[in-house]
Amino acid sequence: MKTFIILCTLAVVVFGRPEDHYTDKYDTINLDEILDNRRLLEPYIKCGLELGKCSPEGKELKSHIKEALETYCEKCTKAQQSGTRRVIAHLINKEPQYWKQLTAKYDKDNKYTAKYEAELKIIKVM
């Protein structure tokens, strides 16, 4: 759920620190730059979907997506938790096709991602 977060990821390109938290090595990554530029965003998404090459940070992110989603980013630093929510909100609201693909891969039963959707989906009023 997290990094699907990319992507939650993106926000949380997490390595493994001691078991209580992921590394904070990428906590200063400029998520706005990535989220605002499809050319930068798509490689991370494709990495997570195993449809493209992964950068070293993309590989680390991908290795923690499932656990982070399932634990609601329990091992994330505060910056990673905030970044993950921004990334997930972006995917839900602006990249729904990728969000659907990522949830199908990492949460087939929609057990974990539903709470993100309920919390982060922007309701459009007509």
Side-chain angles (χ1 to χ4, degrees):
M1 278 191 255
K2 173 196 171 5
T3 232
F4 243 89
I5 314 209
I6 217 182
L7 241 221
C8 312
T9 357
L10 296 180
V12 187
V13 180
V14 291
F15 286 83
R17 194 195 306 184
E19 300 165 24
D20 60 333
H21 284 92
Y22 302 122
T23 185
D24 60 1
K25 183 176 181 177
Y26 294 99
D27 282 8
T28 59
I29 192 168
N30 186 341
L31 292 178
D32 292 328
E33 180 181 13
I34 294 168
L35 295 175
D36 291 340
N37 186 333
R38 239 177 127 78
R39 185 181 58 75
L40 297 175
L41 177 61
E42 282 186 348
Y44 284 99
I45 294 172
K46 289 182 178 180
C47 169
L49 292 171
E50 297 180 355
L51 298 174
K53 294 181 181 180
C54 294
S55 62
E57 59 274 7
K59 286 179 187 177
E60 287 299 323
L61 171 64
K62 184 172 72 171
S63 73
H64 297 290
I65 289 174
K66 187 165 177 59
E67 177 187 42
L69 288 171
E70 291 174 359
T71 65
Y72 209 59
C73 216
E74 189 175 88
K75 292 183 181 180
C76 296
T77 65
K78 294 290 183 193
Q80 292 164 354
Q81 289 173 348
S82 172
T84 296
R85 292 174 52 75
R86 281 195 359 233
V87 170
I88 292 174
H90 177 86
L91 293 171
I92 290 170
N93 295 296
K94 296 188 178 178
E95 303 287 348
Q97 71 285 3
Y98 283 136
W99 175 248
K100 186 175 181 177
Q101 291 174 33
L102 289 163
T103 57
K105 178 167 183 62
Y106 293 100
D107 187 17
K108 290 180 178 114
D109 298 327
N110 204 27
K111 289 168 59 174
Y112 308 105
T113 54
K115 67 179 157 185
Y116 286 104
E117 290 173 356
E119 186 178 335
L120 300 172
K121 186 168 186 144
I122 297 172
I123 299 173
K124 296 179 182 179
V125 180
M126 299 221 177

